[in-house]
Amino acid sequence: MATSALQIPSRQGEVSAEEWQTRVDLAAAYRLVALFKWDDLVFTHISARVPGRDNEFLINPYGLMFEEISASSLVRIDTAGNKLDDSSFPVNPAGFTIHSAIHAARHDAQCVLHTHTLNGVAVSAQKGGVLPLSQQSIFVLSSLAYHDYEGVALNEEEKPRLVADLGEKNFLMLRNHGLLTLGATIADAFLNMYLFEAVCTIQVRALAGSRELTHVDPRIIAGAQAQAKQVTRGVGGGALTWPGLLRRLDRLNPGYRD
């Protein structure tokens, strides 16, 4: 849906070129999440740091479907989730509690992406968590943390426990809740979620087969990060896949650039 159909004025002339590019990429991430069917109506979130402003972030306007989100509709907020833009849309109070804690602790994280997919939640409820069953799993397991469920994310007191559990990892399984990834870029956070979701889907299907499973050797998992750098020639998987993903959106749902 075009931004004009929702009567949202363009913000391109109001922000820096760097912020506008971040808005375009973040809006694309929302629409890609919808395209891959990872969205949960309006109840999950992706946040990105505003370039050059450590304490300002962009997040979705509460109430828009992910396939409707555009660069101009994204809401700029502070660390407490207060709106800094003149937007008619509210911000989900639970939407930034987790994200703000991570952004404050991990300045290397440009983007934080969180989903409630069926396969992700299913594996988050399994006591053993992610199992080393696939090639995709080695990249997740080499940087994976877990955080126990404490109810809907509204409690500020949960933040230090969540940050401590995450540490320096880039994949976080929120027990009985869903999946979360971080990235130095929006593209990296999205690719991490693509891997995380694939790992959970493969695991659910493998366990449903009622056959003995073969686990990947732990020594291979230990070398996964080095292998990833080699495979992507040091530029990172996000940089390799993002241009093609944007071309796909431009063919199917180009309004994210508005």
Side-chain angles (χ1 to χ4, degrees):
M1 180 180 290
T3 306
S4 58
L6 293 167
Q7 297 184 330
I8 298 172
S10 175
R11 294 188 180 275
Q12 185 169 7
E14 303 173 4
V15 302
S16 68
E18 294 78 12
E19 179 177 335
W20 183 252
Q21 186 60 56
T22 298
R23 284 176 171 269
V24 169
D25 285 339
L26 184 58
Y30 274 102
R31 295 206 182 197
L32 286 165
V33 165
L35 183 64
F36 281 87
K37 302 186 185 302
W38 303 339
D39 52 334
D40 181 19
L41 296 178
V42 300
F43 299 111
T44 53
H45 325 283
I46 317 169
S47 60
R49 197 183 305 274
V50 176
R53 302 186 181 185
D54 282 348
N55 297 318
E56 295 183 8
F57 309 90
L58 295 167
I59 200 166
N60 56 311
Y62 200 25
L64 264 63
M65 304 298 285
F66 281 19
E67 66 265 22
E68 298 177 312
I69 291 176
S70 65
S72 295
S73 70
L74 291 164
V75 183
R76 189 166 53 95
I77 57 176
D78 62 18
T79 54
N82 299 311
K83 291 194 297 182
L84 301 175
D85 286 334
D86 182 19
S87 172
S88 60
F89 294 97
V91 173
N92 185 349
F96 199 58
T97 300
I98 291 173
H99 293 242
S100 64
I102 295 172
H103 279 299
R106 293 284 300 274
H107 290 277
D108 60 316
Q110 163 73 5
C111 180
V112 178
L113 198 165
H114 172 43
T115 63
H116 301 152
T117 61
L118 298 182
N119 291 314
V121 175
V123 175
S124 78
Q126 294 173 359
K127 189 172 183 179
V130 175
L131 301 176
L133 301 178
S134 61
Q135 176 168 276
Q136 291 90 335
S137 73
I138 71 173
F139 304 110
V140 173
L141 287 166
S142 64
S143 188
L144 175 63
Y146 294 88
H147 177 67
D148 288 339
Y149 187 61
E150 298 189 26
V152 176
L154 294 170
N155 185 3
E156 291 287 321
E157 295 178 358
E158 182 180 358
K159 287 184 176 183
R161 293 187 289 274
L162 186 147
V163 167
D165 287 339
L166 175 63
E168 298 301 314
K169 307 296 188 180
N170 290 323
F171 298 86
L172 179 64
M173 179 159 277
L174 298 160
R175 291 288 195 180
N176 310 100
H177 183 172
L179 310 179
L180 184 146
T181 59
L182 288 67
T185 65
I186 293 169
D188 287 340
F190 183 85
L191 178 62
N192 284 344
M193 185 57 72
Y194 179 87
L195 288 171
F196 211 173
E197 176 63 20
V199 166
C200 292
T201 301
I202 291 167
Q203 181 165 320
V204 167
R205 293 185 182 186
L207 292 175
S210 301
R211 296 291 188 271
E212 184 176 0
L213 301 175
T214 301
H215 285 199
V216 174
D217 190 311
R219 292 171 294 182
I220 295 176
I221 297 171
Q225 294 299 312
Q227 290 181 327
K229 290 180 181 179
Q230 184 178 2
V231 168
T232 62
R233 300 187 178 185
V235 301
L240 291 175
T241 58
W242 195 243
L245 288 167
L246 294 188
R247 290 194 298 272
R248 180 183 292 184
L249 273 185
D250 287 335
R251 292 192 299 271
L252 300 175
N253 195 357
Y256 71 97
R257 294 184 182 273
D258 293 341

